[in-house]
Amino acid sequence: MSTTLERETARPYYEPVGDEVATFTAAYRQRMPILLKGPTGCGKTRFVEAMAHQLGRPLVTVSCHDDLTAADLVGRYLLRGGETEWVDGPLTRAVRTGAICYLDEVVEARQDTTVVLHPLADHRRRLPLERLGTDIVADPRFGLVVSYNPGYQSVLKDLKDSTRQRMVAITFDYPDPELEQSIIVAESGVGAETASELVRLGHAIRRLETGTLREVASTRVLISTARLITEGLPARAAARAAVAGPLTDDPVAARGLCELIEAYVSSPQS
Ligand code: ADP
C-alpha cells in the first residue's frame, strides 16, 4: 500500500473543468463524503490535491488494491523492541488530525475493507477501532474522498449501494480540447501546436470503438508524450512510447494506434 501524508506548500496547478470546486467545497463544509468518478488520468488526484490546498488541510492518499485490508487502513499492533505497540493506519491518522483522506480506486479494495467506511461516511462520523475495543469520532475538519473508475470494475467489485448513497458524487471526464491543450502546455512546456496535435490524437483514440483497449488515451498519457518531446524525442516516437505502448499489448490494436499516431502527429524526423 502506498500512502502519503502531505501539506502542500505551493498551490497545485489545477484547471477547473465544471462545477467540481463548488460541489466539493459545499460537501466538505457539510461533512459529506465525496465520490469522484471517472476514467484514469483525467485529473481526479490533482483535483483533490488542489482542494486540500485550498481548504488548508493536509492530504492523506491511499492507493487501494485488492490486498488492502481493514488493518492497512485503520492500524495494527506491531512488535517494537519486544513490546507490541498500536500504530495508526492512514485513515485513522486522517480521522484524528482532521486531514482529507483520499482513497484512490476504492473499488479495488476488498468489500470488508470498505465496511469500516460506513460509520465514518454517515452522520456518526465514527471510526471503529475493533482491535482497541473502541471507536473514535472524526475531527470536524476530517474529509473522506474516494475515487473509482466506472469503466473497468466488475459488478462484484461495485461499491455497495448503502455506501454510495451516503456520498456526494462528482463525475469527471477528459477536459474539452481547448482546456486539455492548455493543460498539456502548462504541464510539459511543449508549444501550443504540438499540444493541439496531441489533443486531436487523444480524441481520435477516444472515438475508437474497440474492446481491446482497457482504457483510451488519458490527459496523463498525452502529457507524458509531450514531456518526452521536450527532451528532444521525435513526436511520433514519443507518442508510440507514451500512448501506444502503455494502452495495449495486443499487436493488432498497437498497429491501429500507431496508424493514428502517423495520421495525427507530424514528425518528419521520426
Ligand atoms: P486521475 O487521478 O484521474 O487518474 P490525475 O489527477 O493523476 O488523474 O491526472 C493526470 C495528470 O493530468 C495530472 O498529473 C495533471 O498533470 C493532468 N491534469 C488532468 N486534468 C487536469 C486539470 N483539470 N488541471 C490540471 N492538470 C490536469
Side-chain angles (χ1 to χ4, degrees), residues 13-17 20 38-47 102 104 175 179 183 187 219-220 223:
Y13 164 70
Y14 179 73
E15 295 279 358
V17 181
E20 72 276 19
T40 187
C42 69
K44 300 184 295 297
T45 303
R46 180 62 65 86
F47 169 64
Y102 175 43
D104 193 9
L179 193 57
I183 292 169
E187 289 285 282
T219 308
R220 181 190 290 128
I223 292 169

Side-chain angles (χ1 to χ4, degrees), residues 2-267:
S2 59
T3 64
T4 49
L5 171 56
E6 50 194 71
R7 191 188 288 270
E8 293 281 350
T9 41
R11 183 183 171 77
Y13 164 70
Y14 179 73
E15 295 279 358
V17 181
D19 57 6
E20 72 276 19
V21 173
T23 308
F24 189 107
T25 308
Y28 174 77
R29 287 168 60 92
Q30 286 292 319
R31 299 181 188 148
M32 296 159 97
I34 298 165
L35 171 63
L36 307 181
K37 290 201 259 184
T40 187
C42 69
K44 300 184 295 297
T45 303
R46 180 62 65 86
F47 169 64
V48 179
E49 288 164 0
M51 290 310 302
H53 183 272
Q54 182 165 319
L55 295 164
R57 301 312 307 149
L59 178 64
V60 176
T61 300
V62 182
S63 301
C64 299
H65 52 77
D66 55 8
D67 282 339
L68 190 84
T69 64
D72 288 329
L73 284 180
V74 168
R76 54 165 53 88
Y77 281 104
L78 293 179
L79 249 184
R80 289 221 172 131
E83 302 279 323
T84 54
E85 188 189 326
W86 172 263
V87 178
D88 280 347
L91 179 62
T92 309
R93 268 193 342 261
V95 164
R96 287 194 207 274
T97 59
I100 291 176
C101 185
Y102 175 43
L103 304 178
D104 193 9
E105 291 297 340
V106 74
V107 287
E108 294 291 332
R110 300 203 307 232
Q111 281 216 341
D112 60 323
T113 308
T114 48
V115 163
V116 300
L117 301 179
H118 282 237
L120 248 194
D122 66 19
H123 65 279
R124 290 171 284 176
R125 286 180 48 98
R126 280 178 170 275
L127 177 66
L129 300 178
E130 268 179 33
R131 300 294 303 276
L132 293 182
T134 177
D135 56 2
I136 50 175
V137 180
D139 181 286
R141 299 160 303 172
F142 167 75
L144 180 64
V145 184
V146 306
S147 75
Y148 83 104
N149 177 345
Y152 60 73
Q153 64 187 343
S154 72
V155 175
L156 270 182
K157 287 172 103 186
D158 203 350
L159 280 175
K160 284 188 176 179
D161 282 337
S162 50
T163 305
R164 291 173 67 109
Q165 288 184 17
R166 291 179 168 131
M167 303 194 147
V168 170
I170 303 178
T171 302
F172 281 73
D173 205 344
Y174 304 114
D176 66 33
E178 237 169 78
L179 193 57
E180 193 164 41
Q181 182 182 336
S182 327
I183 292 169
I184 294 170
V185 170
E187 289 285 282
S188 69
V190 288
E193 226 153 79
T194 305
S196 156
E197 282 189 358
L198 295 177
V199 168
R200 274 183 268 132
L201 171 67
H203 277 252
I205 296 174
R206 288 169 201 166
R207 279 194 300 268
L208 288 176
E209 297 269 340
T210 167
T212 45
L213 292 184
R214 233 164 83 95
E215 284 281 344
V216 291
S218 64
T219 308
R220 181 190 290 128
V221 300
L222 301 181
I223 292 169
S224 301
T225 305
R227 288 171 57 192
L228 294 179
I229 294 170
T230 63
E231 290 295 331
L233 209 64
R236 288 178 182 171
R240 285 195 293 270
V243 178
L247 289 190
T248 187
D249 296 324
D250 177 80
V252 177
R255 220 171 14 253
L257 289 178
C258 288
E259 281 166 18
L260 283 179
I261 290 169
E262 301 281 316
Y264 282 89
V265 178
S266 56
S267 181

